[in-house]
């Protein structure tokens, strides 16, 4: 059986990509997740390591985390890929759907490490992927929103049919344009739900060099 790792955000797209890859016969024992510089939260999604570890355990996989700034992200990710290559892993899975610059970068870093990139969701209709995710029985929380696209009250909601119905015109159902991010806590790939609780919603105002948007994060903690 072919062995692969997956670039893991903890969100719906990487979860569906993992689910599809395993159903296609790949063995995926390793999840790789980027954390912020101090390792307290995952980069972009803001999830604490305790919940990422619980998520990986329920998915029957090992989690490897690395700390990185945006400036060091690529270098450190390639190092993680090379370490996996040394363990005998030859393939890397990504959850991107149709953004070509993302695919170009993933293929570049995989080539640098001697791995082959696989994108199980690539080229499919975004809303169809969302419907597949929900129909399969996965459950997720919206943990980050970009305030340029959605108001604060969308943060912390369940990612479900009601959330999708409330999205304003122009906001993608997958959040593929950076409108929102999710954390998956249950579903057919999980041996048990991830026990968690919502605490507070945090606000982060990005500097002008990073677009200047206001982001809201639903802080999660182990139950």
């Amino acid at each position: 059986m072919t062995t692969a790792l997956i670039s893991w955000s903890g969100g719906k797209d990487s979860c569906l990509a993992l689910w599809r890859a395993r159903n296609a016969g790949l063995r995926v024992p390793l999840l790789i997740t980027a954390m912020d510089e101090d390792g307290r939260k995952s980069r972009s999604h803001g999830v604490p390591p305790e919940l990422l570890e619980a998520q990986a355990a329920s998915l029957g996989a090992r989690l490897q985390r690395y700390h990185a700034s945006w400036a060091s992200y690529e270098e450190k990710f390639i190092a993680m890929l090379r370490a996996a290559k040394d363990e005998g892993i030859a393939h890397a899975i990504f959850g991107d759907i149709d953004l070509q610059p993302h695919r170009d970068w993933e293929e570049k870093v995989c080539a640098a490490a001697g791995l082959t990139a696989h994108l199980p969701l690539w080229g499919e209709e975004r809303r169809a992927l969302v419907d597949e995710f929900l129909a399969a029985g996965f459950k997720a929380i919206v943990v980050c929103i970009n305030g340029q696209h959605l108001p604060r009250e969308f943060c912390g909601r369940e990612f479900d049919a009601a959330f999708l119905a409330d999205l304003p015109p122009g906001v993608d159902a997958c959040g593929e344009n950076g409108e929102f991010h999710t954390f998956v806590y249950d579903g057919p790939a999980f041996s048990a739900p991830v026990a968690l609780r919502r605490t507070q919603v945090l606000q982060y105002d990005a500097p002008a060099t990073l677009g200047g948007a206001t982001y809201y994060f639903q802080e999660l903690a182990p139950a």
Side-chain angles (χ1 to χ4, degrees), residues 2-176:
T2 301
T3 303
L5 62 85
I6 183 166
S7 178
W8 186 253
S9 69
K12 58 180 177 48
D13 296 337
S14 57
C15 188
L16 185 59
L18 173 65
W19 173 244
R20 282 193 173 186
R22 284 178 166 175
N23 287 341
L26 286 174
R27 192 174 79 88
V28 190
L30 178 62
L31 318 180
I32 293 180
T33 300
M35 309 296 287
D36 57 19
E37 289 92 334
D38 60 12
R40 294 176 58 199
K41 299 288 178 68
S42 61
R43 188 152 290 286
S44 297
H45 288 58
V47 178
E50 297 86 354
L51 290 181
L52 291 165
E53 293 284 358
Q55 188 186 45
S58 188
L59 290 166
R62 174 168 55 101
L63 179 72
Q64 283 191 346
R65 295 176 278 117
Y66 66 100
H67 305 177
S69 65
W70 287 121
S72 65
Y73 185 95
E74 179 173 313
E75 175 188 357
K76 292 194 173 185
F77 186 62
I78 291 173
M80 296 293 287
L81 295 180
R82 286 175 173 157
K85 174 76 170 179
D86 291 342
E87 294 179 13
I89 294 176
H91 302 267
I93 298 164
F94 300 88
D96 283 285
I97 300 169
D98 56 20
L99 298 180
Q100 190 63 46
H102 289 197
R103 178 169 194 148
D104 293 344
W105 183 85
E106 289 154 2
E107 291 179 341
K108 180 184 76 169
V109 295
C110 282
L115 274 67
T116 301
H118 292 277
L119 288 80
L121 313 183
W122 187 256
E124 299 199 27
E125 201 274 320
R126 294 178 182 180
R127 181 54 194 253
L129 290 171
V130 169
D131 292 341
E132 177 184 342
F133 175 84
L134 295 176
F138 287 106
K139 297 179 180 179
I141 295 171
V142 179
V143 291
C144 173
I145 64 167
N146 182 332
Q148 291 180 329
H149 299 282
L150 291 169
R152 182 182 187 277
E153 51 267 28
F154 277 79
C155 192
R157 288 184 57 173
E158 287 288 313
F159 180 74
D160 55 15
F163 174 86
L164 295 169
D166 288 344
L167 289 178
V171 174
D172 181 61
C174 274
E176 192 72 355

Side-chain angles (χ1 to χ4, degrees), residues 189-218:
F190 290 72
S191 61
V194 177
L196 55 79
R197 57 188 173 89
R198 296 167 174 83
T199 57
Q200 59 186 328
V201 174
L202 303 175
Q203 179 177 328
Y204 169 69
D205 296 312
T209 55
L210 294 176
T214 295
Y215 293 88
Y216 299 98
F217 290 88
Q218 173 62 63

